[in-house]
Amino acid sequence: MLIQPYSLDTGIKGVFLSNKVVENEVKTFITYNKGRDWRLLHAPTTDLSGTRLYCVQPYCSLHLHLHVSDNPYTSGNIVSKESAPGIIVASVYMNVMYISDLCENEEYSILFLNQGGALVAIRHTPLPIRHIWLSFDEGRHWNKFSFTSSPLYVDGVLGEPGEDTLIMTIFGHFSHRSEWQLVKIDFRPIFNRRCTTDDYQTWQLHNDGKVCIMGVKRIFQNLKPDARCVKTKDQYISQMSDSCPCTEADFECDFGFERQSDGGCTAAFWFVPSSVSRDCTTGDSFLNTTGYRKALSNNCTAGTLGKYRLRRQRCPHQAPRGLQLVTSEGTLTATLGDNVTLLVFLEEGDGSTTSITVDFGDGTAISYANISSIEDGVKHTYSKVGIYQVAAMALNSLGSERVLLYLHVTCTLEQVQLSAPSVVVRNKAVDLSTVLKPRYVGTVTYYWWFNNHTEPVVTLVGGMSFTFYKEGTHTVTVQVSAGNTVLQDKITVAVYEYFRSHVLAFSSNLDAFNPAVAEWRQDISRVVKDSMVQVTGINGEQLLVSVLPGLPTAAELFIIPEKRPTEGTMNRKGTHLEQLSQVLLSALNQDLIQFTLRPGVQVNVYPTRLSPAPLVDTSESGHNGAAVIMLVSVVFVGLAVFVIFKFKR
């Protein structure tokens, strides 16, 4: 069964209409008690021409097109007004087409006039018209009136604010090329006096003969068909008699209960009807539901239906059960230095005699004599980031219950810096690392992206090893997620079979101008490289200079092979790089590599004894040149020691 998204307020308290799809058929249902019970609409016994209609439920019933107009200048398929209770203008159908003496398979817009004391109908048609219809007996009979001497293509109808208006404006055009025309219709000459009590007749609202609706008998008044008077707002609309005794139809299922096919209310599978509020103090009593409650706005008086009344029960003395611990925000995170509010709930147990202890997991705990004293929550501020095990315990003489919450305390991540060598060896693992600011921000997830790979490598630590298998330039990006913040840093790594490198130092006056900014380091690297190229004449494509973060200011110089292929063995190529290295070291040792940082500030570049990446040959069959030299040196030292030892003897 499907319910259409639109239902209609009929203007009478508790009475609604709604459409349902039942067995692939749309059927209109009506309720007189705010949706507790629904039934099909009865069709009239005859049409307006007096022809008898044979429509027997449930095989046949009256159906309404519950669709309001999207156009503010038309009334739509259905309309009702609170000032005209009991009147619903709608397009209807049954098993056979129900046709009034007005419609005759034509579509009309219906407007309320004089607080529902009269109805105005105007035809929906692409053809020009010059007539409207007026009804004074709620649509039973219609009178035809001419509103213009020339036929008008009607585009819409406007009324004065409120349905008590007696002036209407129709706008349209006489032809497709003409300008808009406004026709003002004044109905005031028809209603030439104010209504009195003699102009009204009464009718009583009922549901299949039952006159008690929402606990009261409601009597309404409407104008007599021959009355031609002006209604004032809310004049003689309704009268209410004494309340009716409550019946089964005045009650709906209470919270936690569901209606069954026999009309009764039973507890849902998730609801425990025997549960007692924690506010129930031992020795006292409370009113417990029987599964029913009186519908909202129902005015019936207490009857003799005892099963619908609340039952008074004694508050039992029981152990705490259903303890819950949550943050006021409903999250499992907190910000360092801010107050976090923890809420403690107890579903069952005597709240006045059950003590509550909250352990915040940072060495701080607090106890309360009863849970009522912490209804607004417990506030706490953490001084360090981390994951804290927060515990709450409820305890009374009959037992206890404990619940845990793992709270992530974080601070805002401000900066991410990715570190890796500028030049690495192919097929050899290289270490990548990150530095966070501040250093400790809580639970952090790292996402590593290499070149154009679509899937990242995810780690929980700020470093990893990676092997590059192809020569060339590679891009490494790391994204760091901490709390609601995601920051990233990116570097470029050059990969070669072999290279030569040296660590460089600068004169100490450079440290005073080091702002610890990546862009500044890049500028200094470029200036140092340009100075080396100018002094030595070495091809700039074979030099890479990378200024390192931190103080004292230092840099790393890389001498890499030429990009164009050259002939010769690996040893010959390595010898060439060694020659370039000696040329650069000679220039550095002679203080030839220098630059002017600003007027009056001259910076010299020096070599250091450290050589973090000597000439490298990754082939397994080849021999590293530096390793051969070292081996020969060891042999000579051994021979020298042996000769001295023999000489002393």
Side-chain angles (χ1 to χ4, degrees):
M1 178 182 294
L2 299 176
I3 300 178
Q4 281 191 265
Y6 178 77
S7 61
L8 177 71
D9 185 348
T10 61
I12 302 175
K13 185 173 66 175
V15 182
F16 295 90
L17 294 170
S18 183
N19 277 359
K20 298 180 183 179
V21 179
V22 182
E23 297 178 353
N24 297 324
E25 288 186 349
V26 178
K27 296 186 177 182
T28 302
F29 290 78
I30 188 169
T31 178
Y32 289 86
N33 53 7
K34 298 192 71 172
R36 183 220 185 267
D37 300 300
W38 294 85
R39 66 168 178 81
L40 293 168
L41 278 182
H42 289 299
T45 56
T46 62
D47 62 14
L48 293 180
S49 63
T51 303
R52 182 171 178 80
L53 299 175
Y54 297 93
C55 187
V56 180
Q57 293 187 6
Y59 310 103
C60 176
S61 60
L62 186 66
H63 308 314
L64 306 182
H65 294 282
L66 299 186
H67 174 68
V68 295
S69 174
D70 295 328
N71 187 343
Y73 307 119
T74 59
S75 62
N77 290 35
I78 186 167
V79 63
S80 66
K81 297 292 182 181
E82 186 177 358
S83 61
I87 300 179
I88 299 175
V89 179
S91 299
V92 302
Y93 68 93
M94 300 177 297
N95 288 20
V96 294
M97 180 63 67
Y98 175 59
I99 304 173
S100 71
D101 61 351
L102 168 67
C103 296
E104 296 179 353
N105 286 330
E106 295 176 346
E107 188 176 354
Y108 286 77
S109 286
I110 307 296
L111 297 100
F112 285 76
L113 192 68
N114 191 25
Q115 300 262 359
L119 300 176
V120 178
I122 186 167
R123 184 180 170 192
H124 275 309
T125 176
L127 301 177
I129 60 173
R130 48 184 196 146
H131 295 100
I132 61 173
W133 282 259
L134 192 62
S135 174
F136 300 98
D137 56 0
E138 299 178 350
R140 293 179 178 84
H141 301 90
W142 295 86
N143 300 311
K144 186 177 181 181
F145 294 89
S146 175
F147 67 90
T148 177
S149 58
S150 301
L152 181 72
Y153 292 94
V154 176
D155 295 317
V157 181
L158 292 173
E160 299 295 330
E163 59 271 10
D164 55 346
T165 179
L166 295 175
I167 298 177
M168 181 181 300
T169 301
I170 299 177
F171 62 93
H173 50 277
F174 290 121
S175 68
H176 294 294
R177 295 184 178 180
S178 67
E179 297 180 352
W180 268 13
Q181 304 293 326
L182 298 178
V183 179
K184 181 178 180 181
I185 305 176
D186 191 348
F187 295 95
R188 286 178 295 182
I190 300 177
F191 308 96
N192 50 18
R193 62 181 178 83
R194 288 190 175 275
C195 297
T196 65
T197 55
D198 295 333
D199 295 313
Y200 289 89
Q201 60 185 6
T202 62
W203 64 277
Q204 187 167 31
L205 178 68
H206 66 89
N207 176 15
D208 278 348
K210 299 176 182 178
V211 296
C212 286
I213 306 297
M214 294 293 288
V216 295
K217 297 177 182 178
R218 182 159 296 190
I219 299 175
F220 293 90
Q221 292 185 332
N222 57 358
L223 285 178
K224 296 177 180 179
D226 57 349
R228 301 293 186 271
C229 58
V230 179
K231 294 175 62 177
T232 59
K233 190 172 182 61
D234 299 330
Q235 182 184 25
Y236 308 116
I237 295 298
S238 67
Q239 297 175 351
M240 186 181 299
S241 69
D242 295 335
S243 299
C244 300
C246 292
T247 64
E248 185 266 346
D250 296 311
F251 293 87
E252 60 186 7
C253 292
D254 203 350
F255 172 78
F257 290 80
E258 298 175 340
R259 189 168 299 282
Q260 305 302 313
S261 58
D262 60 357
C265 296
T266 59
F269 71 92
W270 51 266
F271 184 69
V272 182
S274 61
S275 61
V276 181
S277 170
R278 60 179 174 82
D279 297 325
C280 193
T281 304
T282 304
D284 292 343
S285 61
F286 70 102
L287 293 174
N288 197 8
T289 181
T290 58
Y292 301 88
R293 66 183 178 192
K294 191 162 62 172
L296 186 65
S297 302
N298 191 297
N299 296 316
C300 70
T301 57
T304 58
L305 301 176
K307 73 173 184 177
Y308 301 108
R309 296 178 178 176
L310 297 175
R311 294 176 183 175
R312 185 165 295 279
Q313 297 181 4
R314 301 286 295 180
C315 295
H317 187 42
Q318 56 184 2
R321 189 171 66 176
L323 185 64
Q324 299 179 40
L325 177 63
V326 297
T327 63
S328 59
E329 301 294 330
T331 63
L332 297 176
T333 61
T335 302
L336 182 69
D338 291 348
N339 270 332
V340 56
T341 302
L342 299 170
L343 303 178
V344 183
F345 301 101
L346 184 63
E347 293 183 358
E348 297 184 25
D350 187 352
S352 62
T353 61
T354 301
S355 64
I356 299 294
T357 300
V358 180
D359 187 341
F360 300 102
D362 60 350
T364 306
I366 189 169
S367 297
Y368 299 89
N370 56 70
I371 197 171
S372 302
S373 57
I374 55 173
E375 289 184 349
D376 296 332
V378 182
K379 298 184 183 298
H380 187 67
T381 302
Y382 288 89
S383 59
K384 295 182 179 180
V385 298
I387 303 176
Y388 293 89
Q389 178 182 281
V390 185
M393 182 189 305
L395 175 67
N396 63 23
S397 59
L398 293 181
S400 63
E401 186 169 20
R402 188 169 183 261
V403 64
L404 298 177
L405 180 148
Y406 294 94
L407 185 66
H408 294 244
V409 178
T410 63
C411 64
T412 303
L413 179 63
E414 300 176 0
Q415 184 180 359
V416 176
Q417 181 177 307
L418 176 59
S419 298
S422 299
V423 182
V424 299
V425 180
R426 186 175 72 90
N427 293 331
K428 204 165 189 177
V430 60
D431 291 332
L432 308 172
S433 62
T434 58
V435 178
L436 307 182
K437 183 180 179 181
R439 185 175 180 183
Y440 299 105
V441 295
T443 305
V444 178
T445 305
Y446 298 84
Y447 300 89
W448 305 85
W449 305 82
F450 297 93
N451 294 322
N452 296 321
H453 291 177
T454 58
E455 295 294 332
V457 178
V458 182
T459 65
L460 297 179
V461 294
M464 67 171 297
S465 295
F466 189 79
T467 302
F468 296 93
Y469 297 101
K470 292 183 179 180
E471 286 194 81
T473 301
H474 298 262
T475 301
V476 181
T477 303
V478 63
Q479 291 183 329
V480 182
S481 174
N484 296 325
T485 304
V486 178
L487 298 181
Q488 77 173 29
D489 193 16
K490 180 188 298 185
I491 61 172
T492 300
V493 177
V495 180
Y496 295 97
E497 286 281 355
Y498 56 93
F499 60 89
R500 193 79 167 89
S501 71
H502 295 281
V503 175
L504 307 178
F506 297 88
S507 52
S508 59
N509 59 348
L510 181 61
D511 292 344
F513 301 95
N514 189 340
V517 176
E519 290 76 6
W520 181 87
R521 294 193 295 269
Q522 293 173 1
D523 290 340
I524 298 298
S525 300
R526 177 179 51 80
V527 170
V528 173
K529 175 182 173 179
D530 292 344
S531 177
M532 290 180 175
V533 171
Q534 183 177 2
V535 170
T536 64
I538 297 176
N539 185 0
E541 294 184 352
Q542 289 190 261
L543 300 180
L544 289 176
V545 179
S546 175
V547 176
L548 305 176
L551 293 175
T553 308
E556 193 168 4
L557 167 64
F558 297 93
I559 308 170
I560 60 178
E562 293 181 291
K563 290 186 177 181
R564 63 178 183 272
T566 58
E567 297 180 357
T569 64
M570 187 71 68
N571 288 336
R572 289 183 58 186
K573 295 179 181 179
T575 302
H576 177 65
L577 292 185
E578 183 64 27
Q579 293 172 352
L580 297 180
S581 175
Q582 293 301 323
V583 171
L584 285 167
L585 288 176
S586 176
L588 289 167
N589 289 325
Q590 298 179 51
D591 293 336
L592 299 178
I593 308 301
Q594 55 183 235
F595 61 91
T596 302
L597 184 66
R598 59 175 57 182
V601 181
Q602 189 75 18
V603 179
N604 291 341
V605 186
Y606 309 100
T608 67
R609 294 184 179 181
L610 298 177
S611 185
L615 183 65
V616 177
D617 178 9
T618 59
S619 61
E620 296 182 359
S621 59
H623 299 286
N624 184 291
V628 172
I629 295 174
M630 183 176 294
L631 179 61
V632 173
S633 300
V634 171
V635 171
F636 278 111
V637 171
L639 290 175
V641 171
F642 177 78
V643 170
I644 293 172
F645 176 77
K646 295 291 290 183
F647 177 77
K648 285 186 176 182
R649 292 185 62 184

